[in-house]
């Protein structure tokens, strides 16, 4: 399971708050618990603004806003964290190397922002070797309509599922 960019700047107290973050947080935590209970490894993706481009509007290094939400960290305190600088979590990270070392064949994605980092990771060239699913109820973006448009658009390439569909009993 890959949890993408659940960082403070996207929550109410952050610099770029998204729509429906509290419900999304609850759903991400529920999905993480299902993953843990079913033996699925969890990895975190953390977006950090690139210093060479100048200070970004959010996710700047050494700020509270760049941190992964504490409830999410507490749910999987030993999960590896992959720092990225692009929408695609595979781009210039060791994510694929780690997934391959774990023998992963299926990716279950959730996180923030639906239309950007979630979808770009799902349709990454590097993701083509995996079965990919997105848990729509555990993703969010700036507004509900954009979230729904993004899920509809990506549904022709990857499966959009509920938490229960991702982790059948």
């Amino acid at each position: 399971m890959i949890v993408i960019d659940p960082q403070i700047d996207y929550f109410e107290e952050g610099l770029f708050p998204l729509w429906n973050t509290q419900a999304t947080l609850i759903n991400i935590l529920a999905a993480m618990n299902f993953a843990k209970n079913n033996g699925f490894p969890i990895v975190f993706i953390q977006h950090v603004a690139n210093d060479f481009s100048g200070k970004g509007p959010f996710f700047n290094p050494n700020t509270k806003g760049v941190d992964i939400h504490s409830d999410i960290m507490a749910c999987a305190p030993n999960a590896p964290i992959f720092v990225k600088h692009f929408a695609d979590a595979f781009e210039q990270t060791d994510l694929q190397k780690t997934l391959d070392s774990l023998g992963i064949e299926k990716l279950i994605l959730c996180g923030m922002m639906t239309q950007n980092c979630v979808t770009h990771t799902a349709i990454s060239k590097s993701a083509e070797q995996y079965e990919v699913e997105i848990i729509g109820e555990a993703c969010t973006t700036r507004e509900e309509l954009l979230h729904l448009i993004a899920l509809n658009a990506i549904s022709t390439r990857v499966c959009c599922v509920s938490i229960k569909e991702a982790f059948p009993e």
Side-chain angles (χ1 to χ4, degrees), residues 5 7-22 24 57-59 65 112-113 140-144 146:
D5 302 344
Q7 295 167 248
I8 297 299
D9 273 342
Y10 280 152
F11 288 84
E12 259 182 38
E13 65 273 23
L15 294 176
F16 198 70
L18 304 181
W19 162 78
N20 204 30
T21 53
Q22 289 310 310
T24 303
F58 52 91
F59 290 165
M112 303 169 180
M113 289 195 290
T140 192
T141 192
R142 290 291 288 180
E143 59 188 52
E144 182 179 19
L146 182 57

Side-chain angles (χ1 to χ4, degrees), residues 6 8 12 20 23-24 27 31 39 62 84 86 116 123 145 152 157-158 169:
I8 297 299
E12 259 182 38
N20 204 30
T24 303
N27 289 335
N62 305 312
K84 68 176 178 62
F86 300 94
N116 192 30
I123 62 172
L145 183 58
N152 184 59
R157 300 273 305 271
V158 302
E169 296 185 59

Side-chain angles (χ1 to χ4, degrees), residues 1-4 24 27-28 31 106-124 127 130-140 147-167:
M1 178 175 182
I2 300 176
V3 184
I4 301 171
T24 303
N27 289 335
I28 290 172
K106 178 179 181 179
L107 304 180
I108 300 171
L109 307 180
C110 66
M112 303 169 180
M113 289 195 290
T114 312
Q115 87 294 355
N116 192 30
C117 297
V118 174
T119 57
H120 280 70
T121 299
I123 62 172
S124 170
Y130 307 101
E131 177 186 347
V132 180
E133 294 180 348
I134 296 173
I135 303 174
E137 66 197 299
C139 296
T140 192
H147 168 74
L148 295 172
I149 289 169
L151 289 176
N152 184 59
I154 196 78
S155 70
T156 63
R157 300 273 305 271
V158 302
C159 290
C160 295
V161 298
S162 69
I163 294 170
K164 291 182 187 237
E165 291 169 322
F167 302 104

Side-chain angles (χ1 to χ4, degrees), residues 23-125:
T24 303
L25 174 63
I26 290 166
N27 289 335
I28 290 172
L29 293 170
M32 289 174 64
N33 283 319
F34 274 108
K36 289 190 316 185
N37 292 338
N38 287 286
F40 285 75
I42 297 170
V43 301
F44 296 134
I45 307 300
Q46 180 184 32
H47 195 101
V48 177
N50 235 336
D51 281 340
F52 70 80
S53 302
K55 185 175 178 174
F58 52 91
F59 290 165
N60 288 296
N62 305 312
T63 63
K64 180 182 176 182
V66 78
D67 294 342
I68 293 173
H69 194 285
S70 60
D71 291 352
I72 290 174
M73 288 298 300
C75 188
N78 299 316
I81 300 171
F82 295 90
V83 173
K84 68 176 178 62
H85 304 290
F86 300 94
D88 178 353
F90 289 98
E91 184 66 31
Q92 297 181 23
T93 70
D94 288 330
L95 177 60
Q96 185 169 9
K97 180 179 169 185
T98 298
L99 296 174
D100 291 346
S101 74
L102 294 170
I104 301 298
E105 296 177 3
K106 178 179 181 179
L107 304 180
I108 300 171
L109 307 180
C110 66
M112 303 169 180
M113 289 195 290
T114 312
Q115 87 294 355
N116 192 30
C117 297
V118 174
T119 57
H120 280 70
T121 299
I123 62 172
S124 170
K125 186 78 172 154

